[in-house]
Amino acid sequence: MRTELSALDTKLPKLPWVTISGKHRGGAIKFTEPEPQKEPKNLRKLKKAIRKKWGTVALIDILKEAALRTGMLKALAPVGTREAIDEAKLLERLLLIAYAYGTDSGISSVAAGEHGHNEEELRYTARRYLTATGLKAAGVEIANATFAARQETVWGQGTTTVASDSTHFKAWDRNIFTEWHSRYGGRGVLVYWHIEKGSMAIHSQLLNCTASEVAAAIEGMMRALSR
């Protein structure tokens, strides 16, 4: 460790893409963004061949196919015990709500489409079905279905190895969950992720900006192992 730290201390000031100064607002160390890499020679040909064979698939169709194959929408249980909405209509509404929030287009924009569900109905369904417990259960369904469908020759052998880290999302000041984070230097919310080596998110949790990430890492691993 001493050898490697000495080498870093020697080479760091000589790197052209690193500057160290106490005048930087974001910290003493500043990295210069590298030049964008050249586009791979056959990338455009590959994209053209894919479009020619499969065309352009709408995002809502991909979401619908995932819902049909995994049953993720059925994992969203209502807040109450009584439900009078027809199951087919309910699944349509949940699909539209998932699309609205997943694409950040919003309920109002999605409600303007020609599908027979108005904004009030979608918001009512979202309030009853989009709970933290239900969304985590839907995520488990998607993750398990993905792991079952993966081919080992392409994705490699599955393991229990995960990487974990937090992400800071900016949010409006009037949001009751918004907090000031000293490290990120802004207001927002902190989400802690657990990602397996195939880039599949297997667990996420909302943290206070002053909370310990060590406890979040342990909790995520315990919940992932219990699935």
Side-chain angles (χ1 to χ4, degrees):
M1 185 181 293
R2 291 191 181 93
T3 302
E4 296 300 327
L5 287 175
S6 299
L8 176 65
D9 186 57
T10 302
K11 294 181 180 179
L12 196 60
K14 301 177 183 179
L15 298 176
W17 44 274
V18 179
T19 56
I20 303 176
S21 174
K23 298 181 180 179
H24 297 318
R25 295 181 60 184
I29 301 176
K30 182 179 179 181
F31 296 96
T32 303
E33 294 185 4
E35 294 291 332
Q37 295 183 354
K38 294 182 179 180
E39 183 179 283
K41 185 171 63 173
N42 295 321
L43 181 59
R44 293 190 180 184
K45 294 181 179 179
L46 178 61
K47 290 181 177 179
K48 187 177 180 180
I50 292 174
R51 283 196 300 268
K52 183 178 180 181
K53 185 171 183 177
W54 286 295
T56 302
V57 181
L59 185 58
I60 187 69
D61 291 333
I62 298 176
L63 179 60
K64 177 183 177 182
E65 190 69 23
L68 292 174
R69 288 176 179 267
T70 63
M72 64 178 187
L73 297 181
K74 294 184 179 180
L76 300 176
V79 175
T81 57
R82 181 178 176 274
E83 187 56 75
I85 305 175
D86 179 72
E87 183 179 3
K89 288 185 177 180
L90 176 61
L91 293 178
E92 288 179 1
R93 292 182 187 180
L94 291 175
L95 190 66
L96 292 170
I97 293 167
Y99 180 83
Y101 286 127
T103 61
D104 204 23
S105 55
I107 296 291
S108 299
S109 299
V110 171
E114 298 179 359
H115 41 65
H117 304 283
N118 58 44
E119 182 177 351
E120 183 180 354
E121 292 172 338
L122 294 178
R123 292 192 182 279
Y124 170 79
T125 305
R127 287 194 299 269
R128 284 181 57 83
Y129 283 86
L130 262 66
T131 63
T133 303
L135 290 172
K136 287 185 181 297
V140 170
E141 294 291 334
I142 295 173
N144 289 339
T146 302
F147 294 145
R150 281 183 177 175
Q151 297 182 16
E152 185 177 336
T153 55
V154 178
W155 293 93
Q157 188 176 7
T159 68
T160 57
T161 303
V162 296
S164 60
D165 199 2
S166 59
T167 304
H168 187 258
F169 293 93
K170 293 183 178 180
W172 297 106
D173 291 348
R174 293 185 179 181
N175 188 324
I176 60 174
F177 296 105
T178 298
E179 296 177 320
W180 175 269
H181 201 290
S182 58
R183 186 176 69 183
Y184 293 100
R187 296 183 180 274
V189 296
L190 198 64
V191 178
Y192 197 83
W193 306 89
H194 281 73
I195 311 294
E196 58 92 35
K197 69 174 186 177
S199 302
M200 169 61 67
I202 59 174
H203 185 71
S204 64
Q205 50 190 308
L206 182 67
L207 296 183
N208 293 329
C209 290
T210 56
S212 170
E213 294 187 2
V214 176
I218 296 174
E219 180 184 351
M221 287 185 286
M222 291 175 61
R223 291 185 178 273
L225 290 174
S226 63
R227 293 176 183 173

